[in-house]
Each structure stands twice: as C-alpha cells, then as structure tokens.
Amino acid sequence: MATEHRIKRKFRELRARGEAALIPFIVAGDPDMDTTRKLVLEVEARGADLIELGVPFSDPMADGPANQRSLARGLGAGASLAAILSMVSELRAQTQIPLILFGYYNPIFHYGCERLCADAARAGIDALLVVDLPPEESGELKKPARANGLDLIYLLAPTTPIDRSRAIARSASGFLYYVSVTGVTGARAHLDTGIAEHMREIRSVTDLPIGVGFGISTPVQAAEVATMADAVVVGSAISLLIEQHTKSGDVPEAVGGLVGAMKDAMKSARRIESAPAAENSDG
C-alpha cells in the first residue's frame, strides 16, 4: 500500500542536495502500455525524481494539442484506470519512484472514489492530481484518499488570489502545482516573467514544495524554473517526442535524452545560483 512518505522523502532528499525535482508527465498507454512501463524506468534512470502518469480521457479541457493527441493514443491503446493500476503494481517490483495519477474526475467518478483510492494505494500510487476538481468539490475523493495514505495535489494559477492560495494549500498535501500560464498545456517559446514573484507569494502561505508546469519544454527553461521552484513538470515536450519516435521504435531513448538534459541543466543552474553565497560565507 502507498504511504505519504515517498513524496515527502523525495523532496527532503532533494532539498538536502540543493536540487529541484524533475517531474516528467507521461500519458499511460502512449503508444502502448509496454512502452509506458519502459519509459517510467528509463526516465528514472536519466534523473526523473517523481513521475506523473496521465490517465487518458476523451475530453481533456486543460490540455493543448500535443497532450490531446497523446491522450487519444492512450485511449486507443486501452489505458483504462484498471490497466494503469495493474502496470503500476508490476512496476513496484522494480522501482520506488513516487508516482502521481494525473487526470480528470470523470474516469475516477465512474470507477468509484472509494474503490479507486483503495486500489491505487494497493498498486503503489502515491498521489492523485485531478485537474478539474477544485478543493471545494473534492470531499468525495479527499476522505478515501486520506484514509489510504494518498496525497491530493491541487493546482494554482497566475490568477489565483493569495487568500485562495492559502485555502488550497491547507487542503493539499505532497506538493502544490503552479500552472505557469493562463491557458492549456503546451510547449511555449518563452516562460511567464512573473513566476519568481508568484513563487515568493505562494511560499508566504505554505511550507509545501511548489512545482511549476505547463509550457516548460527545453533544458534552458527547466533550468530557469529550477532556480525559482522546488519542482519542474514537463509534459507536452514528452508527448511530442513520443509522437515523433513511435515509428522508429526508440521512444524511451528519445524521451530519456530530453529528461537527462533537463536534469543536468537544472543541477547546473542550482549550483551556479548557490555559488556566490558559498563564496561569501567563506569570508
């Protein structure tokens, strides 16, 4: 059974090393479940710290074109909640990386909240992130999630007022997910200039780690966000790589290459950022 400890422990370890977490988002079943299984192990080997497993859904309103196509491929491959949990259960013999089930409420509602939380915890899922379920409406899921030791991760947006951020943080556990753009997922050429300011504001109301996602697609962008946030989430760039490399059969290698480059860039950026402080402390 999952416990709250995997995510907490991971962030504690990273903080001790002065690192930000890299969290790839992988749509389960894109292009097939066997590739997803390989991808989880490959991205962990290349530096991923936690993984978001996307649950395919037919109406993914928060997702842009790349993730929409990825989710459609996952649906076509039969990546149901039951199939995903079965895969996670098998993966737990090979890895203890924190796994977050990321999706929309409709499939969870149909599966049944009580049953889903019990089955997810038994399989080895650590947290749930339900894009279209705000804290006020999550009572039906929150109780069984807590009872089964699952973290519930909530989204914050650039438009979220500080009082609401405080209220959401009180309901959340694991970490908070800050959506860096007002819009859907998708690779962006430039990051929002207000991220650092928003990070300071959110940190004033919570001790939870803060992850930033939506729009981060290059190692340079990942490095930039790593100097401001506790975690960097990358999704659409991975969905695009899967799409481009499915025919050639080298999806794990291609995605692993991006993840490795991002993690290296993030580590370097954190080292550069901390170097002046270290020099000053020497006198």
Side-chain angles (χ1 to χ4, degrees):
M1 185 169 125
T3 71
E4 64 179 340
H5 301 312
R6 275 195 204 101
I7 291 176
K8 261 190 185 163
R9 187 167 58 232
K10 178 60 73 173
F11 276 108
R12 194 170 59 243
E13 288 168 3
L14 289 166
R15 198 172 293 123
R17 294 202 300 265
E19 286 181 33
L22 176 56
I23 310 179
F25 166 82
I26 298 167
V27 173
D30 180 19
D32 53 64
M33 293 300 280
D34 189 49
T35 302
T36 303
R37 194 180 287 106
K38 288 174 181 165
L39 269 173
V40 168
L41 298 173
E42 179 67 21
V43 297
E44 181 182 22
R46 301 298 286 268
D49 299 293
L50 301 87
I51 295 172
E52 288 180 356
L53 282 174
V55 179
F57 179 52
S58 57
D59 187 21
M61 58 191 174
D63 286 286
N67 281 350
Q68 283 181 20
R69 294 193 300 271
S70 187
L71 290 159
R73 293 191 296 268
L75 274 179
S80 63
L81 270 170
I84 295 167
L85 294 182
S86 174
M87 176 195 71
V88 168
S89 197
E90 290 169 20
L91 272 168
R92 278 297 177 221
Q94 296 171 273
T95 176
Q96 289 302 305
I97 194 168
L99 295 171
I100 299 149
L101 213 53
F102 183 111
Y104 294 81
Y105 188 50
N106 186 285
I108 292 172
F109 177 76
H110 281 278
Y111 193 99
C113 291
E114 296 264 356
R115 181 173 154 235
L116 183 275
C117 290
D119 289 356
R122 196 177 301 114
I125 290 290
D126 298 286
L128 306 174
L129 199 167
V130 188
V131 186
D132 54 350
L133 193 67
E136 295 88 343
E137 296 170 26
S138 64
E140 201 173 344
L141 184 63
K142 187 174 181 177
K143 194 176 173 188
R146 292 276 186 271
N148 286 280
L150 295 168
D151 285 320
L152 268 186
I153 295 160
Y154 291 112
L155 302 175
L156 299 174
T159 51
T160 307
I162 190 68
D163 287 347
R164 177 148 179 78
S165 293
R166 185 183 286 111
I168 291 171
R170 275 200 298 265
S171 292
S173 59
F175 65 95
L176 289 167
Y177 188 132
Y178 175 75
V179 176
S180 66
V181 294
T182 46
V184 296
T185 61
R188 305 296 203 276
H190 302 287
L191 295 173
D192 177 52
T193 53
I195 292 175
E197 188 184 331
H198 280 111
M199 291 300 100
R200 282 192 293 273
E201 189 178 81
I202 298 164
R203 283 205 173 94
S204 73
V205 298
T206 184
D207 293 329
L208 285 171
I210 304 162
V212 174
F214 283 46
I216 300 163
S217 55
T218 67
V220 170
Q221 290 173 338
E224 190 182 337
V225 174
T227 65
M228 300 180 267
D230 303 298
V232 176
V233 185
V234 56
S236 295
I238 289 173
S239 296
L240 285 168
L241 275 179
I242 291 171
E243 191 168 65
Q244 291 160 6
H245 288 265
T246 295
K247 277 198 174 76
S248 53
D250 59 345
V251 166
E253 293 82 358
V255 174
L258 176 65
V259 167
M262 283 186 159
K263 186 64 179 180
D264 287 346
M266 288 164 61
K267 283 180 179 174
S268 296
R270 280 287 190 102
R271 276 198 297 270
I272 290 163
E273 186 196 33
S274 63
E279 285 163 15
N280 292 341
S281 67
D282 290 338

